[in-house]
Amino acid sequence: MVAVLFISFVICLAVGVPVAFSLGIAAVLYFLGSGMPITQFAQRFFAGLDSFTLLCIPGFTFAGNLMNQGGISDKLLGFADAMVGHLSGGLAYANVLASMVFAGISGTALSDTVSLGGVEIPMMAKQGYDVPFSVAVTAASSCMGPIIPPSVPMIIAATMTGLSVSKMFMAGIVPGILMGGGMCFVCWWESKKNHYPKRDKMSSLKEILHEGKEAIWAIIMVGIILFGIMGGVMTPTEASIVCIAYGTIVSAFIYKKLDIPTFYSCLKATLSSASAIMGLVAFANVFAYIMTKERIPNMIADSMLSLTSNKYIILLLINLFLVFVGMFMETIAAILILFPVLLQLATAVGVDPIQFGIIVVMNLVLGLCTPPVGVCLFAATSIGDRTSREMGGNGNKLSENVIALIPFMISNFTVLALTTYVPALTVGVANFISGK
């Protein structure tokens, strides 16, 4: 029946059945074939959703949608441009910096790409940047979304394995900042090499303060999330609800771009994305129960440990495997299926669970920018193609964007290596902040 479980799952994926339903169909066939009561399927399905922490997924998603509809993309980019626009390649830096702030609101990479990319890519192209470079920096910087807290993948990984969401959020701060710093270095290098434009003069203090005033409300939301959770004032779920109230007030009464139809549109979009995630979590919980019952994680761990017990080699093999998986499978689905299995192997060789959670999330998120299923790369390419044609060009080719993306991916994979082999950057920081 284990063979039936996996074969049916693979066949469903191959014929185009969504991952959530592929998991569900495979699980139902296992229950029917093994003679187990189907009522256990329903019990495990709803047990996967019976978590207070999971409520923060629709919460943070809704708050991000509200702030984005309130014009946050323009405000953040304007402030970042005022700060660094006078440097060579200033808009590229602004792109990365805006993504770092937006990452602290949305928690997802694709929303970063679509929301900021729709403003950034046309703006960069009109000021003289190559469209492939503009697409590459937008797609690469969006990978910080699930690394810098809040992070939907981290919430799911922590919830399904009983880890602390707050500690995982804290552990993602330094890797996220390192990713941003590395991409800024690549922007500097590419801008010098290609002589990308910069503003004639540095913004005056008055201009910086004006743009900062416009963007401060978005930055305050990041502060609410980070300091509220880290300070122990709020749980992640409570922080998400506070952010919804805050985002509604700011978007409606300060930015004045949120009306009843727009609010309804945000709510509808949130329900659509959150329900899809929750359904995936529920079906994956049934699938994970079956794998645990059949001792599949133990078998995989024993097989790997029979080859080598060296922690560093095990981590290297896991990284290579996850990078490959990330090229083909959606991030949340991969975490739900693989994280519990690989966590047992990692802890067996002495890797801290919180550190390993960050490693897994980073690996799979980087796959969002790699073909053949790099959704952030494809989303940015679509915006770049439209921008190129509007400017009288011949469009934007995916192959050109992939070439332009290589330096950014080298930078991000370097940060991944540091995160993998230097625990102080993740669990060390989390323990320091939490006082443990």
Side-chain angles (χ1 to χ4, degrees), residues 100-279:
M100 292 180 74
V101 178
F102 194 80
I105 297 174
S106 68
T108 59
L110 185 58
S111 62
D112 187 329
T113 305
V114 175
S115 302
L116 294 175
V119 179
E120 293 166 338
I121 294 175
M123 183 182 294
M124 291 178 70
K126 289 173 184 177
Q127 291 202 16
Y129 291 82
D130 296 330
V131 172
F133 174 78
S134 305
V135 168
V137 67
T138 301
S141 63
S142 69
C143 289
M144 291 184 290
I147 306 300
I148 297 176
S151 164
V152 172
M154 285 186 195
I155 293 167
I156 291 174
T159 302
M160 69 183 304
T161 52
L163 299 177
S164 168
V165 175
S166 299
K167 287 192 74 172
M168 196 168 282
F169 278 4
M170 297 174 200
I173 294 174
V174 172
I177 293 173
L178 288 177
M179 286 178 69
M183 283 184 280
C184 282
F185 175 78
V186 173
C187 290
W188 172 81
W189 178 269
E190 293 292 324
S191 298
K192 288 289 186 182
K193 184 175 70 173
N194 297 303
H195 306 289
Y196 287 137
K198 61 180 180 179
R199 206 177 323 112
D200 294 334
K201 61 179 182 178
M202 183 177 179
S203 297
S204 65
L205 180 60
K206 182 179 180 180
E207 290 173 328
I208 294 175
L209 291 175
H210 173 73
E211 295 294 341
K213 180 182 177 182
E214 292 293 308
I216 191 64
W217 301 106
I219 298 172
I220 289 175
M221 179 181 275
V222 178
I224 292 173
I225 295 169
L226 293 181
F227 296 107
I229 295 174
M230 289 182 203
V233 178
M234 297 176 281
T235 65
T237 300
E238 291 166 347
S240 71
I241 303 305
V242 170
C243 285
I244 289 175
Y246 177 87
T248 302
I249 293 170
V250 169
S251 299
F253 300 106
I254 297 176
Y255 289 157
K256 296 182 179 179
K257 290 190 175 182
L258 183 67
D259 51 20
I260 297 299
T262 305
F263 184 88
Y264 175 75
S265 176
C266 291
L267 183 60
K268 186 177 179 181
T270 300
L271 290 173
S272 176
S273 60
S275 59
I277 293 173
M278 292 301 196

Side-chain angles (χ1 to χ4, degrees), residues 346-429:
T347 53
V349 294
V351 180
D352 188 277
I354 296 295
Q355 179 196 2
F356 187 68
I358 303 300
I359 293 171
V360 171
V361 171
M362 285 189 70
N363 267 294
L364 296 173
V365 164
L366 293 180
L368 296 173
C369 287
T370 56
V373 194
V375 292
C376 290
L377 175 59
F378 288 122
T381 297
S382 176
I383 298 171
D385 184 69
R386 184 173 66 248
T387 300
S388 176
R389 295 183 186 281
E390 288 175 353
M391 295 178 64
N394 296 320
N396 177 230
K397 296 181 179 178
L398 179 64
S399 57
E400 296 174 340
N401 298 335
V402 171
I403 293 172
L405 189 63
I406 290 174
F408 293 99
M409 296 308 293
I410 291 174
S411 172
N412 285 341
F413 277 112
T414 300
V415 176
L416 173 61
L418 290 172
T419 303
T420 301
Y421 295 112
V422 185
L425 298 177
T426 51
V427 67
V429 172

Side-chain angles (χ1 to χ4, degrees), residues 1-8 30 290-291 294-296 299:
M1 290 314 301
V2 172
V4 171
L5 178 76
F6 285 104
I7 291 172
S8 58
Y30 173 88
I290 295 171
M291 290 199 294
E294 296 288 349
R295 297 182 57 81
I296 293 173
M299 293 166 56

